[in-house]
Amino acid sequence: MISALGIKTARLTAARPGDILLWLATAFPVMLMIALIVAVLSSVPAHADETASDSCGGKNLMTELQKTDPAKYASILADGDKVANGKGIFWKIEKPGLKPSWLLGTMHVSDTRVTTMPKGAAEASAAADTIIVESDEILDDKKAAAALFVNPSLTMLPDGGTIGQHLSPEDNARLEAALAQRGVPLAAVSHMQPWLISSSFQMTGCEIRRKASGIKFLDQKLAADATAAGKQVKGLETLAEQAKAMSDLPIELHLKSLLQTLELGDRINDINETMTDLYLTGNVGAIMPMLKNIDPDQNLSDDDASTFEQRIVLDRNKVMGERAAPILAKGNVFMAVGALHLAGDEGLVALLRKQGFTVTAVD
């Protein structure tokens, strides 16, 4: 969802930090979209500037910023350094009397740079007795997606409404044209909640094609490999709970995200590439500062950002920590969840420490 169109050097001129935060909240921490997007979008036509590489043709905006505005670049990294437990995606979990367990922060993508786990992680997952993922329903994502659509309150507008009823004629035409470019008629999605429609634009075209061709994203691969090896696979949430978290948010927020996502267009590739590079270097703490400061002249309201973060990240962190505790109490567990759930004062690393575990970043 980003490319070189309309971007001034190292700036997303049409993308507000709020737009990106809304995208981030859906595409990074919420695994639900992975199942639903593949079910709704079976194929996406390639864009002229998109390559076959894992990078999807995106460029690292931080690399450009380092050249054009080194002070801002340094400020973003400094803000990232202030985020508790923001350095590292692979952690060791210890408690006296238990075999060590492990925590891996993931990106829910099939990019081989991500599915190639950090040193020691593959060995730890292979030796673990139990694998924990956000939802064990990802073992059959099409079945899980079908089950979600059986409960229309999670994915559909109430009372048979359509997205066109919430948009101006001009915005509705823009949406219809954008969907047509992806081979999806507006009629096929017109009754869906706006966050679900928006998610169809918030994943890069090459990522959708990889998933549609059967390539597993990291969490899914871990769960499938564990099942094949006869290991226990435990989920911390249901996909319905993840959908509920999204549908709980005000429709106005989702409509804002949908319209602003349409403005981003193919430029999401650059956001994706920048986030991926920060993730691969283990600098998860710098992701939010990067997104918030890439264009400081335009802002989402603090209340909107707070509402989103609370419901989509922090509330779910608490649930994950509570449900993981009895599993981790047995030791020799490998736990893999979205990387943004790890960092911060209310992230999983901090929550597990409050439960009496010693949690240490693995270099």
Side-chain angles (χ1 to χ4, degrees):
M1 309 179 190
I2 284 195
S3 144
L5 297 175
I7 299 183
K8 295 181 180 179
T9 306
R11 291 192 62 191
L12 303 178
T13 56
R16 300 175 180 87
D19 310 345
I20 301 167
L21 288 175
L22 294 180
W23 172 82
L24 182 64
T26 54
F28 207 148
V30 181
M31 192 178 299
L32 163 73
M33 298 352 158
I34 307 303
L36 296 184
I37 291 172
V38 174
V40 175
L41 302 175
S42 59
S43 64
V44 178
H47 295 281
D49 64 343
E50 190 174 272
T51 70
S53 71
D54 275 329
S55 70
C56 298
K59 59 187 178 184
N60 188 329
L61 298 173
M62 287 290 285
T63 300
E64 292 192 354
L65 193 63
Q66 186 177 19
K67 298 174 183 176
T68 60
D69 194 340
K72 181 185 286 187
Y73 172 83
S75 175
I76 291 171
L77 293 183
D79 286 344
D81 290 342
K82 298 173 186 175
V83 176
N85 309 311
K87 293 292 178 65
I89 58 173
F90 186 38
W91 300 74
K92 188 175 185 179
I93 304 171
E94 298 174 284
K95 184 178 280 190
L98 297 178
K99 287 185 178 180
S101 292
W102 309 87
L103 174 63
L104 176 67
T106 68
M107 290 184 73
H108 309 315
V109 296
S110 56
D111 185 328
T112 56
R113 295 172 299 172
V114 173
T115 57
T116 302
M117 294 184 288
K119 182 180 178 181
E123 294 80 3
S125 64
D129 294 327
T130 303
I131 303 295
I132 297 177
V133 289
E134 287 183 27
S135 174
D136 56 6
E137 293 171 291
I138 58 174
L139 286 165
D140 190 340
D141 53 5
K142 291 183 179 179
K143 180 179 177 181
L148 280 173
F149 282 106
V150 169
N151 185 348
S153 68
L154 296 177
T155 56
M156 300 296 175
L157 289 165
D159 302 322
T162 66
I163 190 67
Q165 295 171 339
H166 298 275
L167 300 174
S168 69
E170 295 77 15
D171 287 333
N172 196 58
R174 288 173 58 214
L175 174 60
E176 185 171 18
L179 285 167
Q181 289 182 343
R182 294 204 158 205
V184 180
L186 176 59
V189 299
S190 63
H191 293 283
M192 292 182 183
Q193 291 190 19
W195 64 264
L196 185 53
I197 299 174
S198 182
S199 70
S200 69
F201 300 104
Q202 293 167 343
M203 186 181 294
T204 59
C206 63
E207 180 65 26
I208 293 175
R209 282 192 297 278
R210 286 196 295 255
K211 289 181 171 63
S213 68
I215 299 175
K216 293 180 174 62
F217 56 96
L218 176 55
D219 316 63
Q220 194 177 39
K221 183 177 184 301
L222 283 166
D225 289 349
T227 299
K231 297 177 185 291
Q232 282 191 322
V233 177
K234 300 284 190 180
L236 300 176
E237 301 174 301
T238 66
L239 295 179
E241 286 175 323
Q242 292 187 348
K244 182 67 164 54
M246 291 300 295
S247 61
D248 280 349
L249 294 171
I251 190 171
E252 292 78 15
L253 256 181
H254 291 308
L255 288 168
K256 184 185 301 184
S257 175
L258 172 60
L259 294 175
Q260 295 172 343
T261 298
L262 291 178
E263 293 180 13
L264 285 175
D266 285 343
R267 289 171 293 161
I268 200 63
N269 290 336
D270 291 343
I271 292 291
N272 181 71
E273 184 66 13
T274 307
M275 289 174 59
T276 300
D277 284 349
L278 286 172
Y279 169 83
L280 293 172
T281 61
N283 197 357
V284 177
I287 291 177
M288 282 294 194
M290 179 274 294
L291 296 175
K292 290 178 179 178
N293 289 286
I294 210 72
D295 187 358
D297 298 328
Q298 304 176 46
N299 291 286
L300 185 72
S301 78
D302 289 342
D303 285 346
D304 283 348
S306 241
T307 298
F308 223 99
E309 181 184 19
Q310 185 65 49
R311 186 67 187 96
I312 302 302
V313 182
L314 302 183
D315 287 353
R316 294 175 58 226
N317 288 353
K318 184 178 179 181
V319 170
M320 288 184 192
E322 290 173 350
R323 293 178 180 174
I327 308 172
L328 292 169
K330 298 177 181 179
N332 200 26
V333 172
F334 188 91
M335 179 175 172
V337 299
L340 288 185
H341 289 294
L342 273 56
D345 294 331
E346 299 179 65
L348 279 173
V349 171
L351 293 177
L352 292 177
R353 286 174 178 160
K354 289 179 181 177
Q355 293 177 8
F357 292 100
T358 299
V359 188
T360 311
V362 179
D363 294 331

